[in-house]
Amino acid sequence: MKFIVAKTPCQMAAKDIEYKYVNPCGLDCSYYTEGRLYCRFAVDANVTVVLTNNGHVPSSLAVILRTTDKIVWANEFEPIELTCLIESISTNNPRIEWKKIKNGVPSYVYFQNKIAGDLEHRAQLREPANILIFNTTRSDTAEYRCEVAAIDDQRDFDEILISLAVRVKPVVPRCSVPEAVTVGTSTELRCLENEGFPASQYRWFHNEEELPQDPKNSPKFVNSSYSINPDTGGLKFRRVRKEDAGEYYCQAKNDAGHAQCPPQMMEVYDVDILGIFLKSFAAVAVFFCLAASICHSFRRGCFHKKGHNENNYSWPAQNDGDYRDADEGHFRHKSSFVI
């Protein structure tokens, strides 16, 4: 692109350009560079005229970039375009680069006139220097820097920093609902999912009807004792009522969408005083029967053992051929014993 600078907005000699030109007065010139108002308009595809509002002829132009959005949100798996618009430049074929900066570490995503790095095969460069990502993923959340170097400009470099955040739809949350509780007791229902971005907000439904965050604001639930934490997904009952029985399910929601768990039934029972008494009586009866059985067994001697101090040893009977003296019990030689 060739740029020609005219001396005044409404005066331009034919020799300044090689084309006949209509007086440009009345054009909307609406951008500034270094405090001066400039007006650009194309004569043809290859020539652009730049006029100043004060007759000053700049010796050269500076490369100037801008973007339509410095903070961009996109839904996962949907396309998104990061804009890098060249407001002013006089260099033919400037060097354009895009870098992705994540956790403070830069990496090329457009370098030497081709898509590279994390965006390879998933993006393309669009005129003048925009990047179109075909299907964004959660890993694309980062800062992106568009850099343009123009060696023929007095200000030969400019850059634009764009922040991209990819919204991720929540997955089906994990719900925990007690199967049965007793009237007057406390209980808690839980709901959680960890995939959504931004973090999900939680809502609870009872018999297909959404529970209001504050039961006091609803005539139907004004006597309920529950509280909902939309950040953690907890539904707590301080004192369960019979009316709290029914089907419950939780919904996780963020800007990208929502998901919910299947309904689960919670039953509420009255306190069974007679049942508690009968169970306690049965336990006491079993205890006394067991104790009586043990005492009876002791009385019958089932657990009696002989003392270890009793001497049950008896001397063996003497035989006639014994060689002991009956009085002394000493050994005595026979007459046939010869030394």
Side-chain angles (χ1 to χ4, degrees):
M1 178 75 69
K2 178 182 179 182
F3 288 87
I4 299 175
V5 179
K7 294 182 179 180
T8 64
C10 299
Q11 297 176 1
M12 181 171 57
K15 63 182 179 62
D16 289 334
I17 55 175
E18 298 176 357
Y19 307 91
K20 291 184 179 180
Y21 175 68
V22 179
N23 191 320
C25 293
L27 292 178
D28 182 15
C29 306
S30 59
Y31 72 94
Y32 290 82
T33 300
E34 298 178 354
R36 300 187 182 94
L37 178 66
Y38 290 91
C39 177
R40 282 173 45 186
F41 50 93
V43 175
D44 65 10
N46 296 316
V47 178
T48 294
V49 176
V50 178
L51 303 178
T52 67
N53 66 336
N54 58 3
H56 175 74
V57 181
S59 59
S60 62
L61 294 176
V63 55
I64 301 172
L65 305 179
R66 71 176 179 89
T67 182
T68 56
D69 295 293
K70 288 191 175 182
I71 300 176
V72 181
W73 284 88
N75 291 335
E76 191 174 31
F77 308 125
E78 294 182 3
I80 191 66
E81 186 169 4
L82 308 181
T83 59
C84 182
L85 306 177
I86 302 176
E87 284 282 297
S88 173
I89 197 169
S90 60
T91 299
N92 294 325
N93 299 320
R95 188 180 80 244
I96 300 173
E97 294 176 353
W98 277 88
K99 294 176 182 176
K100 175 181 179 181
I101 305 170
K102 191 154 189 172
N103 299 324
V105 180
S107 61
Y108 283 106
V109 291
Y110 183 80
F111 182 65
Q112 294 182 344
N113 298 323
K114 64 180 181 179
I115 300 294
D118 294 343
L119 298 184
E120 190 173 7
H121 308 304
R122 296 198 299 117
Q124 70 176 27
L125 190 74
R126 300 182 65 177
E127 293 293 339
N130 299 351
I131 271 195
L132 173 63
I133 304 175
F134 302 136
N135 59 328
T136 56
T137 66
R138 64 193 69 187
S139 63
D140 294 330
T141 296
E143 289 186 324
Y144 293 82
R145 188 167 64 215
C146 173
E147 301 176 356
V148 176
I151 59 175
D152 294 335
D153 288 76
Q154 183 176 1
R155 177 185 171 186
D156 60 0
F157 180 82
D158 198 10
E159 63 182 27
I160 287 288
L161 190 64
I162 301 172
S163 177
L164 172 63
V166 180
R167 291 184 286 253
V168 180
K169 181 180 176 180
V171 297
V172 175
R174 301 185 301 274
C175 298
S176 174
V177 178
E179 294 182 357
V181 293
T182 304
V183 170
T185 60
S186 62
T187 190
E188 182 177 3
L189 286 66
R190 295 181 177 88
C191 179
L192 182 65
E193 73 86 30
N194 296 317
E195 296 294 325
F197 181 81
S200 295
Q201 295 286 294
Y202 298 95
R203 302 186 296 173
W204 277 96
F205 293 79
H206 175 232
N207 293 335
E208 302 293 335
E209 182 178 0
E210 182 179 356
L211 293 175
Q213 290 290 329
D214 187 356
K216 305 304 180 186
N217 295 333
S218 172
K220 185 174 181 179
F221 300 99
V222 68
N223 294 323
S224 297
S225 64
Y226 72 82
S227 61
I228 298 176
N229 189 325
D231 298 323
T232 63
L235 170 60
K236 294 182 179 181
F237 290 89
R238 292 191 303 274
R239 292 178 61 86
V240 177
R241 306 178 306 152
K242 287 286 291 183
E243 294 81 359
D244 296 327
E247 283 188 339
Y248 288 85
Y249 68 86
C250 167
Q251 183 183 90
K253 183 179 181 180
N254 65 10
D255 294 338
H258 67 273
Q260 65 190 43
C261 62
Q264 300 179 45
M265 177 64 70
M266 184 179 78
E267 297 184 359
V268 179
Y269 296 100
D270 291 322
V271 179
D272 189 1
I273 302 297
L274 180 60
I276 295 174
F277 173 77
L278 292 177
K279 290 179 181 178
S280 301
F281 179 79
V284 172
V286 169
F287 172 77
F288 278 109
C289 289
L290 182 60
S293 176
I294 294 174
C295 291
H296 182 68
S297 298
F298 269 109
R299 289 177 182 176
R300 294 184 59 187
C302 295
F303 299 98
H304 178 69
K305 294 183 179 180
K306 289 185 177 182
H308 295 287
N309 296 328
E310 294 182 9
N311 187 4
N312 296 324
Y313 179 79
S314 58
W315 289 95
Q318 293 184 359
N319 295 328
D320 294 338
D322 194 0
Y323 298 104
R324 293 179 181 269
D325 190 286
D327 297 330
E328 299 177 349
H330 291 226
F331 181 81
R332 184 176 61 184
H333 293 292
K334 291 286 187 173
S335 59
S336 60
F337 185 83
V338 179
I339 298 177

